[in-house]
Amino acid sequence: MLLFATYGAVSLRLQERMLTTGYDLGIFEQAVRSYAHGQLPVAELKGPGFPLLGDHFSPALAILAPLYRIWPTPVTLLVAQAALLAVAVVPIAGFAQRVLGRRGGMVVAFGYGTSWGIAQAVGFDFHEVAFAVPLLAFGLVALAEGRWRAAALWSLPLLTVKEDLGLTVSAIGCLMAWRGARRLGAGLAVAGVLGSALEILVVIPSFNPQGRFTYWDKMPSSVAGTGMQHGLGDVLYQFTLGLITPETKATVLVMLLAPTAFIALRSSLMWVCVPTLAWRLLSENPDYWGTNFHYSAVLMPMVFVAFVDGLRLWEERPRRHALIVAGVVAALLLPKFPLGQLLHRDTWHTSPRVAQAHRILKQIPDGATVAASNRLVPQLADRTLVSVFGFHGSGL
């Protein structure tokens, strides 16, 4: 409950202070609003009548439709995200307590709850990956404890969250097979690959106005080109170099492991991180490389479950030292990311300029067609047909 309240407070204050954006909170609100009215998701912010299933495959958003129908406001999405991110601590802390004892469980719960990847997601609007975080937490804990059927059942719904997560499902299946559940693991691995392939190559292009998947920039085109001209050694060198250069990429890898005192590397569960890290770090898009935005949220349950799994075979004293280091690192990082905003006076103060803007927006009638700045869009998306003024691809 404390994490839920903390995440909710950060998100809602950002919304009240007009620090959320049309890209992405407004887009997701328009999608959920469509579902709530019994329609396939449409985002006018992406273009007139743009079908959002032609952008990303995220039918899991429909789960929020009944809540949005009752409470049609962006607050619904932000509160739901806070709940989804917070509930993931339950299996992680429970697993840690069973392995490390009560104090160890508290340290791991603090580490996950204040982790920078979760904090960045909370501090940047709403995103569909919030659904993936608890699914991964429950699924990976089940995998670590050898509960194969539960691990598979928690993992399969990831296919409805986002198209790239099928590769994560496949990685979980491969680990399951390697750890002993060969038939079930192999089936899950195949289902993950086929699911992502079907969504990327068939479903999304069938909805997309241009008839294609528009995020091929996640693919390492420079590495692929190298493979056509050079030998295997050059390809492997370029591939490895692409994972750690420029410096931003190496930084995010260190930041990922530091809150676990690098102990997570001792667990084979860290292989589940590979699909997400690969498409991000080998992408041509620099936005994917660092610690910003929501892209690292799905990595947090992976890393902290791997942390506990990596400590299982250690004796009491080394465990205690590792937990102390992890707790100190988590505490030092906390003020540097959005959860630290709760300690700032400005977070709890609404400026006269923002208050005046709220009063002006109330004058816009419901159902109006409006072009607004990116920061004003989430204030209007629940009751108007709104687009981002001057933004390429916007609805007006």
Side-chain angles (χ1 to χ4, degrees), residues 237-251 253 280-283 289:
Y237 173 76
Q238 290 295 331
F239 183 86
T240 304
L241 190 65
L243 290 173
I244 58 175
T245 57
E247 182 181 339
T248 305
K249 298 180 181 181
T251 299
L253 292 174
R280 285 180 55 189
L281 300 183
L282 294 174
S283 170
W289 300 343

Side-chain angles (χ1 to χ4, degrees), residues 222-238:
S222 59
V223 174
T226 301
M228 298 296 291
Q229 303 171 19
H230 303 281
L232 179 60
D234 288 331
V235 173
L236 292 176
Y237 173 76
Q238 290 295 331

Side-chain angles (χ1 to χ4, degrees), residues 50 205 207-212 214:
F50 187 91
F207 282 98
N208 188 279
Q210 298 177 348
R212 64 187 182 91
T214 56

Side-chain angles (χ1 to χ4, degrees), residues 255-271:
M255 289 285 290
L256 184 65
L257 295 166
T260 74
F262 291 83
I263 304 301
L265 286 173
R266 298 186 72 246
S267 171
S268 60
L269 293 177
M270 280 299 293
W271 285 103

Side-chain angles (χ1 to χ4, degrees), residues 38 54 66 71 77 134 136 169 172 176 195 208 234 259 301 307 330 351 383 389:
W71 196 14
L77 277 66
L136 286 165
V169 173
I172 293 171
M176 192 182 300
N208 188 279
D234 288 331
F307 177 38
S351 70
R383 61 185 187 87
F389 181 75

Side-chain angles (χ1 to χ4, degrees), residues 66-318:
L67 291 175
Y68 190 87
R69 188 75 187 223
I70 297 169
W71 196 14
T73 164
V75 171
T76 300
L77 277 66
L78 297 175
V79 169
Q81 177 172 260
L84 289 165
L85 298 177
V87 77
V89 79
V90 174
I92 296 172
F95 178 45
Q97 185 168 335
R98 289 189 292 275
V99 172
L100 307 171
R102 186 170 179 273
R103 290 184 179 178
M106 292 176 65
V107 172
V108 172
F110 175 75
Y112 164 79
T114 62
S115 60
W116 60 268
I118 297 298
Q120 292 289 62
V122 170
F124 178 44
D125 294 358
F126 168 92
H127 296 89
E128 74 282 83
V129 295
F131 287 97
V133 173
L135 290 172
L136 286 165
F138 281 102
L140 291 175
V141 167
L143 175 59
E145 295 182 332
R147 295 182 284 113
W148 313 126
R149 187 182 294 259
L153 291 175
W154 281 112
S155 300
L156 279 172
L158 291 169
L159 291 169
T160 69
V161 176
K162 202 172 181 183
E163 62 278 357
D164 63 282
L165 288 172
L167 301 180
T168 299
V169 173
S170 185
I172 293 171
C174 290
L175 272 177
M176 192 182 300
W178 183 73
R179 289 191 170 205
R182 295 179 181 175
R183 181 176 297 181
L184 183 59
L188 188 65
V190 171
V193 171
L194 291 180
S196 276
L198 182 66
E199 291 166 9
I200 292 173
L201 300 176
V202 179
V203 178
I204 293 176
S206 70
F207 282 98
N208 188 279
Q210 298 177 348
R212 64 187 182 91
F213 180 62
T214 56
Y215 292 92
W216 286 118
D217 62 346
K218 291 181 181 179
M219 300 299 291
S221 59
S222 59
V223 174
T226 301
M228 298 296 291
Q229 303 171 19
H230 303 281
L232 179 60
D234 288 331
V235 173
L236 292 176
Y237 173 76
Q238 290 295 331
F239 183 86
T240 304
L241 190 65
L243 290 173
I244 58 175
T245 57
E247 182 181 339
T248 305
K249 298 180 181 181
T251 299
V252 79
L253 292 174
V254 172
M255 289 285 290
L256 184 65
L257 295 166
T260 74
F262 291 83
I263 304 301
L265 286 173
R266 298 186 72 246
S267 171
S268 60
L269 293 177
M270 280 299 293
W271 285 103
V272 179
C273 296
V274 169
T276 297
L277 288 174
W279 74 251
R280 285 180 55 189
L281 300 183
L282 294 174
S283 170
E284 300 290 326
N285 187 344
D287 286 339
Y288 296 150
W289 300 343
T291 60
N292 293 330
F293 309 118
H294 59 288
Y295 300 116
S296 297
V298 297
L299 297 172
M300 297 299 108
M302 302 176 192
V303 168
F304 281 94
V305 175
F307 177 38
V308 178
D309 190 53
L311 286 174
R312 275 208 268 199
L313 299 179
W314 276 25
E315 296 179 357
E316 180 65 27
R317 189 171 182 179

